[in-house]
Amino acid sequence: MNQKGLLLVISGPSGAGKGTICKALLEKSEFWLSVSSTTRNPRAGEVHGESYYFISKEDFKNRIDKGDFLEYAEVYGNYYGTPKSSVIEMLESGKDVILEIDIQGALKVKEAFPEGIFIFILPPSMEELKQRIIKRGSETPESLMTRFKSAYKEINYVSKYSYAVVNDTVNGALEKIESIVIAERCRVDRMKDTILNSREELIHEQLYD
Ligand code: 5GP
């Protein structure tokens, strides 16, 4: 029987470096990154269908009504949602899936998929986080303050996650995530089929020795 894929859910405050980490993880491994739908406008360089599916509020509401989203949330005044059918299809076919979503969304996914691997990315320090948000240069002084204040609040939610990874260097963070994935694959509750098969083989050998 086909083993189901792993569901990796990655969250963290603005400036913690989730996006960079997910990109690097995709280059090194066979994970499939789910592309969300959003009502926010594309930023320079963002491509429809790659970064996000950029859709209107009306379209987003229709999709909510049709039950198309595994979860959705309002983040900084825009809506973001994870497509349900493609994520479930990928997991069922044995593909490992990454969701890079905010905390509200991750908590909803946790209710539906408690077997998911929930990882919170932390900055090395709050000062470093501030510097990273400033360096991005895409924020006005007001939105910078909003993102920084909400980062403080968001960090309190780390206790709802199974793992916290400090992003001091991208390679260091990647190594930690890869180790988490290896350990998760060895969990007895994920290896029921393999263990049952080995047990049956042993019983069989004892009977026919
Ligand atoms: P940005 O606008 O900077 O791309 O994303 C803003 C926030 O929305 C980030 O924290 C990102 O992880 C989150 N986000 C992106 N896609 C989804 C989604 O499908 N669902 C939820 N709940 N959050 C998302």
Side-chain angles (χ1 to χ4, degrees), residues 3-42:
Q3 191 97 7
K4 265 195 185 180
L6 296 178
L7 178 65
L8 205 63
V9 181
I10 298 194
S11 313
S14 213
K18 308 165 276 184
T20 316
I21 291 175
C22 287
K23 227 178 176 182
L25 202 55
L26 290 179
E27 280 165 14
K28 281 190 79 182
S29 62
E30 294 287 298
F31 275 94
W32 177 80
L33 178 72
S34 160
V35 178
S36 300
S37 294
T38 183
T39 59
R40 88 149 159 72
N41 293 324

Side-chain angles (χ1 to χ4, degrees), residues 18 36 40 43 52 71 73 75 80-82 100-102 105:
K18 308 165 276 184
S36 300
R40 88 149 159 72
R43 295 185 188 129
Y52 287 104
E71 64 72 36
V75 187
Y80 296 80
T82 304
E100 194 232 294
I101 59 177
D102 89 314

Side-chain angles (χ1 to χ4, degrees), residues 86-148:
S86 48
V87 168
I88 291 177
E89 239 170 64
M90 286 292 170
L91 290 174
E92 292 292 332
S93 71
K95 196 98 184 130
D96 300 325
V97 172
I98 302 183
L99 305 183
E100 194 232 294
I101 59 177
D102 89 314
I103 295 160
Q104 312 165 66
L107 296 182
K108 283 184 214 153
V109 173
K110 200 174 174 189
E111 283 169 23
F113 290 89
E115 72 279 21
I117 305 167
F118 295 83
I119 301 180
F120 197 91
I121 307 292
L122 287 166
S125 66
M126 290 314 279
E127 184 51 36
E128 176 65 25
L129 181 99
K130 197 172 169 186
Q131 293 309 323
R132 286 182 190 174
I133 301 178
I134 293 171
K135 248 190 236 161
R136 268 205 314 223
S138 56
E139 312 299 329
T140 60
E142 294 76 34
S143 76
L144 195 124
M145 259 340 264
T146 312
R147 285 195 180 231
F148 195 56

Side-chain angles (χ1 to χ4, degrees), residues 73-84:
E74 191 183 347
V75 187
Y76 304 122
N78 293 302
Y79 286 93
Y80 296 80
T82 304
K84 193 197 273 175

